Amino acid sequence: DFQAYMLQHPDIDVVEMDTVKGTREKGKVLLTMLFVKYDFMLIFLLDSASQLCVKEVFDMLTNELRLMSFQKMFPVILTDNGGEFKCADELEHTTFGSQRTKIFYCDPMASWQKAHIEKAHEYIRYVIPKGRSLDGYTKDDIALLTNHINSTRRDSLNGECPFTAAKQFIKRKLPETLSLKLIEPADVILNPSLLKQ
């Protein structure tokens, strides 16, 4: 379905979505959304990997951006079959029934089908190693992490960072809402010292 839709809409922007868990135990998780064209990643700290927590992020973004802007920024979302994403209708539509996006799912056990966000998670792991609990982190910590990741220059962007590549695309309200700001190249830190617990 996703491939067929993209053939019909070859110029549409795609956002890949996933979660990053700290440990196998229950606890806080990170919801990640990657604007593929710009390598620009949003990261949200959730209390748990629940459908309700994911829906709350969608509702918050819709309220802050307004429906039309949300539709333009998130026209298509590709994610996996995790239980937290199973409420497709509630994610695709607002509380009042207006369509805000289209959700597509990778095939089971085929995370490579959303390879961009899987690769982007490496930047998170430079700072928060796999297996470390996320319970000690705050939303401010995750905003700081997001800023440093999006300020890292990429060969895939001809030496630009995602912030620079996406500046014409990202609406002014999004950085304000999520405390996003550009970090100067010399000040970018991508190791555990960035978020001292």
Side-chain angles (χ1 to χ4, degrees), residues 18 37 107 127 148:
D18 203 355
K37 187 184 292 185
D107 292 323
V127 179
H148 281 257

Side-chain angles (χ1 to χ4, degrees), residues 142-173:
I142 301 309
L144 181 65
L145 172 62
T146 304
N147 290 335
H148 281 257
I149 290 173
N150 286 324
S151 298
T152 304
R153 294 182 180 184
R154 316 285 169 88
D155 291 339
S156 61
L157 297 173
N158 296 318
E160 289 188 328
C161 70
F163 256 120
T164 305
K167 68 181 176 183
Q168 298 301 322
F169 167 76
I170 301 297
K171 302 299 182 191
R172 184 181 307 162
K173 202 159 192 178

Side-chain angles (χ1 to χ4, degrees), residues 6-75:
M6 294 307 296
L7 282 174
Q8 294 172 0
H9 306 87
D11 298 323
I12 203 165
D13 288 325
V14 176
V15 176
E16 293 181 358
M17 181 170 68
D18 203 355
T19 51
V20 174
K21 296 176 173 66
T23 63
R24 292 190 178 274
E25 301 170 9
K26 291 184 178 181
K28 291 183 180 180
V29 301
L30 300 178
L31 173 67
T32 57
M33 303 174 88
L34 184 81
F35 298 91
V36 173
K37 187 184 292 185
Y38 309 102
D39 263 343
F40 191 91
M41 185 160 54
L42 301 178
I43 309 174
F44 303 91
L45 184 65
L46 307 183
D47 288 332
S48 67
S50 70
Q51 293 178 9
L52 177 61
C53 286
V54 174
K55 182 182 178 298
E56 286 174 348
V57 170
F58 275 60
D59 291 342
M60 178 274 292
L61 288 172
T62 304
N63 290 335
E64 292 292 338
L65 295 170
R66 301 295 180 229
L67 179 59
M68 190 174 295
S69 291
F70 187 99
Q71 291 167 332
K72 288 179 181 176
M73 292 183 72
F74 302 89

Side-chain angles (χ1 to χ4, degrees), residues 110-123:
S111 59
W112 53 269
Q113 292 177 343
K114 53 178 178 59
H116 298 94
I117 200 163
E118 296 292 336
K119 178 72 173 166
H121 286 170
E122 291 179 9
Y123 290 97

